[in-house]
mmCIF file of all heavy atoms in Angstrom:
data_model
loop_
_atom_site.group_PDB
_atom_site.id
_atom_site.type_symbol
_atom_site.label_atom_id
_atom_site.label_comp_id
_atom_site.label_asym_id
_atom_site.label_seq_id
_atom_site.Cartn_x
_atom_site.Cartn_y
_atom_site.Cartn_z
ATOM 1 N N VAL A 1 -75.203 -95.318 -33.431
ATOM 2 C CA VAL A 1 -74.134 -94.340 -33.644
ATOM 3 C C VAL A 1 -74.229 -93.263 -32.525
ATOM 4 O O VAL A 1 -73.025 -92.829 -32.073
ATOM 5 C CB VAL A 1 -74.304 -93.645 -35.060
ATOM 6 C CG1 VAL A 1 -73.426 -92.357 -35.170
ATOM 7 C CG2 VAL A 1 -74.076 -94.602 -36.166
ATOM 8 N N ILE A 2 -75.265 -92.826 -32.046
ATOM 9 C CA ILE A 2 -75.479 -91.914 -30.976
ATOM 10 C C ILE A 2 -74.831 -92.463 -29.659
ATOM 11 O O ILE A 2 -74.109 -91.796 -29.118
ATOM 12 C CB ILE A 2 -76.956 -91.432 -30.792
ATOM 13 C CG1 ILE A 2 -77.411 -90.612 -32.034
ATOM 14 C CG2 ILE A 2 -77.085 -90.697 -29.475
ATOM 15 C CD1 ILE A 2 -78.836 -90.422 -31.939
ATOM 16 N N VAL A 3 -75.180 -93.724 -29.321
ATOM 17 C CA VAL A 3 -74.672 -94.311 -28.137
ATOM 18 C C VAL A 3 -73.187 -94.526 -28.177
ATOM 19 O O VAL A 3 -72.396 -94.189 -27.241
ATOM 20 C CB VAL A 3 -75.456 -95.617 -27.845
ATOM 21 C CG1 VAL A 3 -74.763 -96.336 -26.646
ATOM 22 C CG2 VAL A 3 -76.883 -95.383 -27.542
ATOM 23 N N GLY A 4 -72.717 -94.982 -29.423
ATOM 24 C CA GLY A 4 -71.226 -95.130 -29.535
ATOM 25 C C GLY A 4 -70.491 -93.826 -29.460
ATOM 26 O O GLY A 4 -69.451 -93.777 -28.936
ATOM 27 N N GLY A 5 -71.096 -92.686 -30.065
ATOM 28 C CA GLY A 5 -70.422 -91.456 -29.986
ATOM 29 C C GLY A 5 -70.402 -91.028 -28.597
ATOM 30 O O GLY A 5 -69.320 -90.420 -28.052
ATOM 31 N N ILE A 6 -71.413 -91.176 -27.703
ATOM 32 C CA ILE A 6 -71.404 -90.753 -26.405
ATOM 33 C C ILE A 6 -70.373 -91.522 -25.522
ATOM 34 O O ILE A 6 -69.540 -91.008 -24.674
ATOM 35 C CB ILE A 6 -72.744 -91.032 -25.696
ATOM 36 C CG1 ILE A 6 -73.772 -89.978 -26.317
ATOM 37 C CG2 ILE A 6 -72.765 -90.783 -24.150
ATOM 38 C CD1 ILE A 6 -75.232 -90.215 -25.864
ATOM 39 N N LEU A 7 -70.235 -92.866 -25.896
ATOM 40 C CA LEU A 7 -69.268 -93.658 -25.180
ATOM 41 C C LEU A 7 -67.822 -93.182 -25.587
ATOM 42 O O LEU A 7 -66.832 -93.153 -24.739
ATOM 43 C CB LEU A 7 -69.347 -95.162 -25.524
ATOM 44 C CG LEU A 7 -70.613 -95.841 -24.855
ATOM 45 C CD1 LEU A 7 -70.757 -97.290 -25.447
ATOM 46 C CD2 LEU A 7 -70.534 -95.908 -23.376
ATOM 47 N N ALA A 8 -67.562 -92.887 -26.780
ATOM 48 C CA ALA A 8 -66.337 -92.426 -27.325
ATOM 49 C C ALA A 8 -65.948 -91.112 -26.598
ATOM 50 O O ALA A 8 -64.853 -90.894 -26.144
ATOM 51 C CB ALA A 8 -66.336 -92.329 -28.783
ATOM 52 N N VAL A 9 -66.835 -90.132 -26.488
ATOM 53 C CA VAL A 9 -66.673 -88.855 -25.849
ATOM 54 C C VAL A 9 -66.241 -89.126 -24.331
ATOM 55 O O VAL A 9 -65.240 -88.442 -23.912
ATOM 56 C CB VAL A 9 -67.845 -87.934 -26.011
ATOM 57 C CG1 VAL A 9 -67.695 -86.859 -25.086
ATOM 58 C CG2 VAL A 9 -68.006 -87.568 -27.505
ATOM 59 N N GLU A 10 -66.966 -89.935 -23.727
ATOM 60 C CA GLU A 10 -66.707 -90.281 -22.280
ATOM 61 C C GLU A 10 -65.361 -90.932 -22.141
ATOM 62 O O GLU A 10 -64.579 -90.545 -21.176
ATOM 63 C CB GLU A 10 -67.738 -91.215 -21.721
ATOM 64 C CG GLU A 10 -69.158 -90.583 -21.512
ATOM 65 C CD GLU A 10 -70.109 -91.551 -21.029
ATOM 66 O OE1 GLU A 10 -69.850 -92.774 -20.968
ATOM 67 O OE2 GLU A 10 -71.197 -91.140 -20.708
ATOM 68 N N MET A 11 -64.966 -91.805 -22.971
ATOM 69 C CA MET A 11 -63.576 -92.405 -22.909
ATOM 70 C C MET A 11 -62.452 -91.377 -23.229
ATOM 71 O O MET A 11 -61.488 -91.365 -22.505
ATOM 72 C CB MET A 11 -63.506 -93.650 -23.871
ATOM 73 C CG MET A 11 -64.327 -94.823 -23.366
ATOM 74 S SD MET A 11 -64.526 -96.235 -24.514
ATOM 75 C CE MET A 11 -62.887 -96.330 -25.218
ATOM 76 N N VAL A 12 -62.688 -90.643 -24.179
ATOM 77 C CA VAL A 12 -61.599 -89.571 -24.479
ATOM 78 C C VAL A 12 -61.509 -88.632 -23.235
ATOM 79 O O VAL A 12 -60.460 -88.081 -22.936
ATOM 80 C CB VAL A 12 -62.001 -88.762 -25.822
ATOM 81 C CG1 VAL A 12 -61.215 -87.513 -25.815
ATOM 82 C CG2 VAL A 12 -61.907 -89.688 -26.957
ATOM 83 N N ALA A 13 -62.708 -88.165 -22.632
ATOM 84 C CA ALA A 13 -62.643 -87.318 -21.524
ATOM 85 C C ALA A 13 -61.876 -87.908 -20.369
ATOM 86 O O ALA A 13 -60.975 -87.279 -19.637
ATOM 87 C CB ALA A 13 -64.034 -86.983 -21.065
ATOM 88 N N VAL A 14 -62.124 -89.213 -20.062
ATOM 89 C CA VAL A 14 -61.446 -89.937 -18.980
ATOM 90 C C VAL A 14 -59.936 -90.019 -19.253
ATOM 91 O O VAL A 14 -59.051 -89.733 -18.474
ATOM 92 C CB VAL A 14 -62.062 -91.262 -18.622
ATOM 93 C CG1 VAL A 14 -61.179 -91.985 -17.711
ATOM 94 C CG2 VAL A 14 -63.430 -91.043 -18.112
ATOM 95 N N ILE A 15 -59.658 -90.546 -20.442
ATOM 96 C CA ILE A 15 -58.198 -90.767 -20.887
ATOM 97 C C ILE A 15 -57.488 -89.390 -21.019
ATOM 98 O O ILE A 15 -56.354 -89.302 -20.629
ATOM 99 C CB ILE A 15 -58.091 -91.576 -22.154
ATOM 100 C CG1 ILE A 15 -58.731 -93.091 -21.836
ATOM 101 C CG2 ILE A 15 -56.582 -91.806 -22.578
ATOM 102 C CD1 ILE A 15 -58.773 -93.876 -23.028
ATOM 103 N N GLY A 16 -58.183 -88.457 -21.613
ATOM 104 C CA GLY A 16 -57.441 -87.111 -21.830
ATOM 105 C C GLY A 16 -57.139 -86.454 -20.560
ATOM 106 O O GLY A 16 -56.140 -85.793 -20.332
ATOM 107 N N GLU A 17 -58.092 -86.666 -19.550
ATOM 108 C CA GLU A 17 -57.842 -85.953 -18.247
ATOM 109 C C GLU A 17 -56.625 -86.611 -17.506
ATOM 110 O O GLU A 17 -55.910 -85.964 -16.905
ATOM 111 C CB GLU A 17 -59.115 -86.117 -17.299
ATOM 112 C CG GLU A 17 -59.035 -85.247 -16.064
ATOM 113 C CD GLU A 17 -58.426 -85.992 -14.906
ATOM 114 O OE1 GLU A 17 -58.438 -87.210 -14.901
ATOM 115 O OE2 GLU A 17 -57.852 -85.363 -14.026
ATOM 116 N N ARG A 18 -56.442 -87.869 -17.708
ATOM 117 C CA ARG A 18 -55.294 -88.489 -17.170
ATOM 118 C C ARG A 18 -54.000 -88.250 -17.977
ATOM 119 O O ARG A 18 -52.952 -88.112 -17.308
ATOM 120 C CB ARG A 18 -55.500 -90.143 -17.148
ATOM 121 C CG ARG A 18 -56.471 -90.577 -16.169
ATOM 122 C CD ARG A 18 -56.585 -92.008 -16.149
ATOM 123 N NE ARG A 18 -57.538 -92.524 -15.178
ATOM 124 C CZ ARG A 18 -57.897 -93.905 -15.127
ATOM 125 N NH1 ARG A 18 -57.418 -94.676 -16.010
ATOM 126 N NH2 ARG A 18 -58.815 -94.206 -14.294
ATOM 127 N N THR A 19 -54.151 -88.205 -19.270
ATOM 128 C CA THR A 19 -52.871 -87.912 -20.101
ATOM 129 C C THR A 19 -52.493 -86.551 -20.064
ATOM 130 O O THR A 19 -51.303 -86.269 -19.960
ATOM 131 C CB THR A 19 -53.212 -88.461 -21.429
ATOM 132 O OG1 THR A 19 -53.668 -89.756 -21.440
ATOM 133 C CG2 THR A 19 -51.992 -88.389 -22.293
ATOM 134 N N PHE A 20 -53.501 -85.615 -20.326
ATOM 135 C CA PHE A 20 -53.115 -84.144 -20.587
ATOM 136 C C PHE A 20 -53.383 -83.269 -19.272
ATOM 137 O O PHE A 20 -53.065 -82.165 -19.206
ATOM 138 C CB PHE A 20 -53.903 -83.640 -21.705
ATOM 139 C CG PHE A 20 -53.723 -84.439 -22.943
ATOM 140 C CD1 PHE A 20 -54.733 -85.147 -23.518
ATOM 141 C CD2 PHE A 20 -52.484 -84.420 -23.589
ATOM 142 C CE1 PHE A 20 -54.609 -85.936 -24.662
ATOM 143 C CE2 PHE A 20 -52.350 -85.156 -24.775
ATOM 144 C CZ PHE A 20 -53.341 -85.956 -25.217
ATOM 145 N N GLY A 21 -54.000 -83.933 -18.221
ATOM 146 C CA GLY A 21 -54.140 -83.100 -17.072
ATOM 147 C C GLY A 21 -53.073 -82.963 -16.235
ATOM 148 O O GLY A 21 -51.789 -83.340 -16.634
ATOM 149 N N ALA A 22 -53.298 -82.612 -14.911
ATOM 150 C CA ALA A 22 -52.141 -82.579 -13.965
ATOM 151 C C ALA A 22 -51.583 -83.949 -13.793
ATOM 152 O O ALA A 22 -52.222 -84.901 -13.429
ATOM 153 C CB ALA A 22 -52.680 -81.929 -12.679
ATOM 154 N N ALA A 23 -50.294 -84.006 -13.761
ATOM 155 C CA ALA A 23 -49.527 -85.280 -13.621
ATOM 156 C C ALA A 23 -49.676 -85.719 -12.095
ATOM 157 O O ALA A 23 -49.220 -84.908 -11.194
ATOM 158 C CB ALA A 23 -48.084 -85.093 -13.969
ATOM 159 N N THR A 24 -50.343 -86.841 -11.855
ATOM 160 C CA THR A 24 -50.346 -87.279 -10.470
ATOM 161 C C THR A 24 -49.677 -88.547 -10.347
ATOM 162 O O THR A 24 -49.710 -89.472 -11.208
ATOM 163 C CB THR A 24 -51.951 -87.541 -10.220
ATOM 164 O OG1 THR A 24 -52.432 -88.563 -11.148
ATOM 165 C CG2 THR A 24 -52.729 -86.347 -10.204
ATOM 166 N N ARG A 25 -48.762 -88.561 -9.426
ATOM 167 C CA ARG A 25 -48.007 -89.748 -9.195
ATOM 168 C C ARG A 25 -48.797 -90.763 -8.369
ATOM 169 O O ARG A 25 -49.463 -90.377 -7.443
ATOM 170 C CB ARG A 25 -46.710 -89.350 -8.390
ATOM 171 C CG ARG A 25 -45.797 -88.379 -9.055
ATOM 172 C CD ARG A 25 -44.892 -89.145 -10.041
ATOM 173 N NE ARG A 25 -44.008 -88.314 -10.662
ATOM 174 C CZ ARG A 25 -43.179 -88.590 -11.614
ATOM 175 N NH1 ARG A 25 -43.390 -89.793 -12.068
ATOM 176 N NH2 ARG A 25 -42.444 -87.753 -12.292
ATOM 177 N N PRO A 26 -48.685 -92.055 -8.719
ATOM 178 C CA PRO A 26 -49.369 -93.097 -7.841
ATOM 179 C C PRO A 26 -48.673 -93.147 -6.532
ATOM 180 O O PRO A 26 -47.457 -92.976 -6.382
ATOM 181 C CB PRO A 26 -49.131 -94.325 -8.735
ATOM 182 C CG PRO A 26 -48.007 -94.164 -9.567
ATOM 183 C CD PRO A 26 -47.991 -92.617 -9.877
ATOM 184 N N ARG A 27 -49.456 -93.370 -5.511
ATOM 185 C CA ARG A 27 -48.884 -93.558 -4.197
ATOM 186 C C ARG A 27 -47.991 -94.687 -4.056
ATOM 187 O O ARG A 27 -48.331 -95.819 -4.602
ATOM 188 C CB ARG A 27 -50.103 -93.564 -3.218
ATOM 189 C CG ARG A 27 -50.934 -94.792 -3.241
ATOM 190 C CD ARG A 27 -52.001 -94.711 -2.229
ATOM 191 N NE ARG A 27 -52.883 -95.928 -2.252
ATOM 192 C CZ ARG A 27 -52.672 -96.958 -1.654
ATOM 193 N NH1 ARG A 27 -51.594 -97.180 -0.877
ATOM 194 N NH2 ARG A 27 -53.632 -98.027 -1.814
ATOM 195 N N PRO A 28 -46.918 -94.617 -3.336
ATOM 196 C CA PRO A 28 -46.029 -95.732 -3.119
ATOM 197 C C PRO A 28 -46.701 -96.840 -2.307
ATOM 198 O O PRO A 28 -47.479 -96.558 -1.467
ATOM 199 C CB PRO A 28 -44.844 -95.276 -2.443
ATOM 200 C CG PRO A 28 -45.422 -93.907 -1.762
ATOM 201 C CD PRO A 28 -46.465 -93.367 -2.653
ATOM 202 N N VAL A 29 -46.463 -98.052 -2.664
ATOM 203 C CA VAL A 29 -47.078 -99.222 -1.895
ATOM 204 C C VAL A 29 -45.916 -99.967 -1.299
ATOM 205 O O VAL A 29 -44.807 -100.076 -1.793
ATOM 206 C CB VAL A 29 -47.826 -100.022 -2.897
ATOM 207 C CG1 VAL A 29 -49.050 -99.302 -3.380
ATOM 208 C CG2 VAL A 29 -47.062 -100.593 -4.079
ATOM 209 N N PRO A 30 -46.188 -100.684 -0.116
ATOM 210 C CA PRO A 30 -45.229 -101.480 0.489
ATOM 211 C C PRO A 30 -44.840 -102.788 -0.323
ATOM 212 O O PRO A 30 -45.650 -103.108 -1.323
ATOM 213 C CB PRO A 30 -45.913 -101.857 1.850
ATOM 214 C CG PRO A 30 -47.293 -101.749 1.609
ATOM 215 C CD PRO A 30 -47.425 -100.616 0.585
ATOM 216 N N ALA A 31 -43.878 -103.402 0.007
ATOM 217 C CA ALA A 31 -43.383 -104.547 -0.764
ATOM 218 C C ALA A 31 -44.393 -105.730 -0.736
ATOM 219 O O ALA A 31 -44.466 -106.521 -1.623
ATOM 220 C CB ALA A 31 -42.054 -105.016 -0.286
ATOM 221 N N ASP A 32 -45.055 -105.950 0.448
ATOM 222 C CA ASP A 32 -46.078 -107.023 0.516
ATOM 223 C C ASP A 32 -47.404 -106.678 0.065
ATOM 224 O O ASP A 32 -48.439 -107.293 0.519
ATOM 225 C CB ASP A 32 -46.092 -107.575 1.969
ATOM 226 C CG ASP A 32 -46.501 -106.394 2.989
ATOM 227 O OD1 ASP A 32 -46.526 -105.251 2.519
ATOM 228 O OD2 ASP A 32 -46.902 -106.773 4.041
ATOM 229 N N TYR A 33 -47.599 -105.560 -0.722
ATOM 230 C CA TYR A 33 -48.906 -105.150 -1.163
ATOM 231 C C TYR A 33 -49.472 -106.115 -2.172
ATOM 232 O O TYR A 33 -48.764 -106.648 -3.032
ATOM 233 C CB TYR A 33 -48.723 -103.789 -1.924
ATOM 234 C CG TYR A 33 -49.988 -103.274 -2.487
ATOM 235 C CD1 TYR A 33 -51.013 -102.704 -1.669
ATOM 236 C CD2 TYR A 33 -50.364 -103.366 -3.804
ATOM 237 C CE1 TYR A 33 -52.143 -102.256 -2.249
ATOM 238 C CE2 TYR A 33 -51.445 -102.949 -4.373
ATOM 239 C CZ TYR A 33 -52.419 -102.235 -3.559
ATOM 240 O OH TYR A 33 -53.541 -101.914 -4.080
ATOM 241 N N SER A 34 -50.775 -106.459 -1.999
ATOM 242 C CA SER A 34 -51.423 -107.409 -2.933
ATOM 243 C C SER A 34 -52.788 -106.728 -3.440
ATOM 244 O O SER A 34 -53.582 -106.309 -2.651
ATOM 245 C CB SER A 34 -51.921 -108.674 -2.133
ATOM 246 O OG SER A 34 -52.726 -109.480 -2.866
ATOM 247 N N ASN A 35 -52.723 -106.572 -4.768
ATOM 248 C CA ASN A 35 -53.954 -105.824 -5.336
ATOM 249 C C ASN A 35 -55.188 -106.732 -5.246
ATOM 250 O O ASN A 35 -56.226 -106.242 -5.241
ATOM 251 C CB ASN A 35 -53.667 -105.517 -6.809
ATOM 252 C CG ASN A 35 -53.302 -106.628 -7.648
ATOM 253 O OD1 ASN A 35 -53.281 -107.832 -7.186
ATOM 254 N ND2 ASN A 35 -52.870 -106.351 -8.905
ATOM 255 N N THR A 36 -54.934 -108.110 -5.123
ATOM 256 C CA THR A 36 -56.154 -109.004 -4.910
ATOM 257 C C THR A 36 -56.789 -108.758 -3.525
ATOM 258 O O THR A 36 -57.972 -108.677 -3.381
ATOM 259 C CB THR A 36 -55.686 -110.446 -5.088
ATOM 260 O OG1 THR A 36 -55.011 -110.584 -6.316
ATOM 261 C CG2 THR A 36 -56.969 -111.437 -4.927
ATOM 262 N N ARG A 37 -55.952 -108.665 -2.467
ATOM 263 C CA ARG A 37 -56.473 -108.440 -1.085
ATOM 264 C C ARG A 37 -57.127 -107.046 -1.146
ATOM 265 O O ARG A 37 -58.198 -106.815 -0.538
ATOM 266 C CB ARG A 37 -55.282 -108.418 -0.192
ATOM 267 C CG ARG A 37 -55.796 -108.422 1.284
ATOM 268 C CD ARG A 37 -54.687 -108.271 2.294
ATOM 269 N NE ARG A 37 -53.756 -109.399 2.139
ATOM 270 C CZ ARG A 37 -52.440 -109.227 1.856
ATOM 271 N NH1 ARG A 37 -51.983 -108.028 1.741
ATOM 272 N NH2 ARG A 37 -51.672 -110.275 1.786
ATOM 273 N N GLU A 38 -56.462 -106.032 -1.776
ATOM 274 C CA GLU A 38 -57.110 -104.674 -1.773
ATOM 275 C C GLU A 38 -58.428 -104.657 -2.487
ATOM 276 O O GLU A 38 -59.404 -104.046 -2.024
ATOM 277 C CB GLU A 38 -56.204 -103.692 -2.387
ATOM 278 C CG GLU A 38 -56.498 -102.263 -2.283
ATOM 279 C CD GLU A 38 -56.573 -101.717 -0.932
ATOM 280 O OE1 GLU A 38 -55.919 -102.293 -0.005
ATOM 281 O OE2 GLU A 38 -57.274 -100.800 -0.642
#
């Protein structure tokens, strides 16, 4: 329960910072962009 609680707090902190924090726009990528190559 302790380990699960720590993991839940960490996930809420990461997701909450992305959701409720400053809105950051993803950088534009070119048309031939490949996430596999990156």
Side-chain angles (χ1 to χ4, degrees):
V1 169
I2 291 171
V3 172
I6 293 171
L7 288 174
V9 168
E10 290 176 352
M11 287 171 40
V12 167
V14 171
I15 295 173
E17 191 273 332
R18 286 184 183 172
T19 306
F20 305 112
T24 56
R25 296 274 182 194
R27 63 182 178 88
V29 294
D32 61 343
Y33 177 79
S34 171
N35 57 6
T36 305
R37 186 186 306 119
E38 187 67 21

